[in-house]
Amino acid sequence: MSNKEFLSLSKTYRKYSIDISEQRASEFFKEMRRRRTVRDFSTRPVPRGIIENCLRTAATAPSGANIQPWNFVVVSDPSVKRQIHEEAEKIEHEFYTAEATQKWVEALKALHTGPSKPFLKTAPYLIVIFAELYGLLPNGKKQKYYYVKESIGIATGMLITAIHHAGLASLTYTPYKMGFLNKILSRPVNEKPFMILVAGYPADEAVVPNITRKPFEEITSFV
Ligand code: IYR
């Protein structure tokens, strides 16, 4: 096809032999099954370039109509981390003590979480992921975006994968309410906080909860 709106896939796609594909799939699985969500971070610095490349990976994610409805704010400034820490702990205190959330709190027992969030100050990076819910046109009107949740979820998954692949650890942290992040980080109203992805090295003494993944047969069927 000669059309300047299309490129040949051969410029980017690589075809492997079946043997090599099998090996790659198996090795990647072995790499990814070692990933654990970590809640105790070291203060050891991480070069910014590593995080930048992980974000470049995330930004290759597919998205509805290729709108790429995401914005990543990488927080390393201790005074901004302190503000986020303070607000988040206030909100989590409400979450862990309110009558209305007690069933939810019960469901989290195995994770041993609580309202104290020291990692927001110790980890070198808080990657605050914002979903662009709609576009803001210069005339003030809204531009509809498509499959924003799906798109941002995929990009976040790829970011988590890239961070693990780089030898760092991450924590998918979602404060009970997240509106305070727009204020602290001066993000516009069309952006909704999706998650804080905490990234860095695990603390030397870090432990993870003894939890398991569902059996493969339970979560898959081939028809
Ligand atoms: N945001 C709280 C509660 C929490 C909620 C879920 I869903 C988790 O998987 C883990 C924790 C907290 O971070 O403590």
Side-chain angles (χ1 to χ4, degrees), residues 131-142:
E132 286 183 9
L133 301 180
Y134 50 88
L136 276 181
L137 297 169
N139 63 7
K141 292 222 166 110
K142 291 181 183 179

Side-chain angles (χ1 to χ4, degrees), residues 167-186:
L168 302 173
S170 72
L171 164 61
T172 45
Y173 175 49
T174 47
Y176 178 47
K177 291 174 189 164
M178 297 198 276
F180 70 92
L181 292 163
N182 286 73
K183 256 191 223 152
I184 294 176
L185 302 172
S186 313

Side-chain angles (χ1 to χ4, degrees), residues 95-164:
F95 171 77
Y96 281 96
T97 54
E99 193 69 51
T101 47
Q102 286 319 297
K103 259 210 178 123
W104 186 354
V105 170
E106 186 67 24
L108 299 174
K109 262 210 159 132
L111 302 182
H112 302 279
T113 55
S116 166
K117 303 295 174 196
F119 53 76
L120 294 173
K121 285 198 292 189
T122 50
Y125 295 107
L126 310 179
I127 306 173
V128 187
I129 305 171
F130 287 89
E132 286 183 9
L133 301 180
Y134 50 88
L136 276 181
L137 297 169
N139 63 7
K141 292 222 166 110
K142 291 181 183 179
Q143 182 192 351
K144 179 154 174 56
Y145 285 176
Y146 312 96
Y147 297 105
V148 170
K149 276 192 187 157
E150 291 80 353
S151 306
I152 196 108
I154 296 166
T156 301
M158 291 175 67
L159 181 57
I160 293 166
T161 305
I163 288 171
H164 172 73

Side-chain angles (χ1 to χ4, degrees), residues 30-87:
K30 286 184 196 146
E31 169 78 18
M32 290 313 298
R33 76 175 167 190
R34 293 189 301 99
R35 187 206 57 80
R36 292 296 309 261
T37 292
V38 164
R39 288 188 170 77
D40 291 307
F41 284 84
S42 161
T43 55
R44 182 180 167 189
V46 171
R48 188 166 125 173
I50 298 176
I51 299 299
E52 286 177 357
N53 272 332
C54 292
L55 288 166
R56 286 188 176 98
T57 297
T60 68
S63 64
N66 192 36
I67 281 171
Q68 305 168 53
W70 41 66
N71 193 275
F72 304 94
V73 182
V74 183
V75 178
S76 58
D77 180 329
S79 71
V80 182
K81 287 201 289 188
R82 213 177 307 119
Q83 288 177 59
I84 293 175
H85 174 255
E86 199 170 300
E87 286 305 310

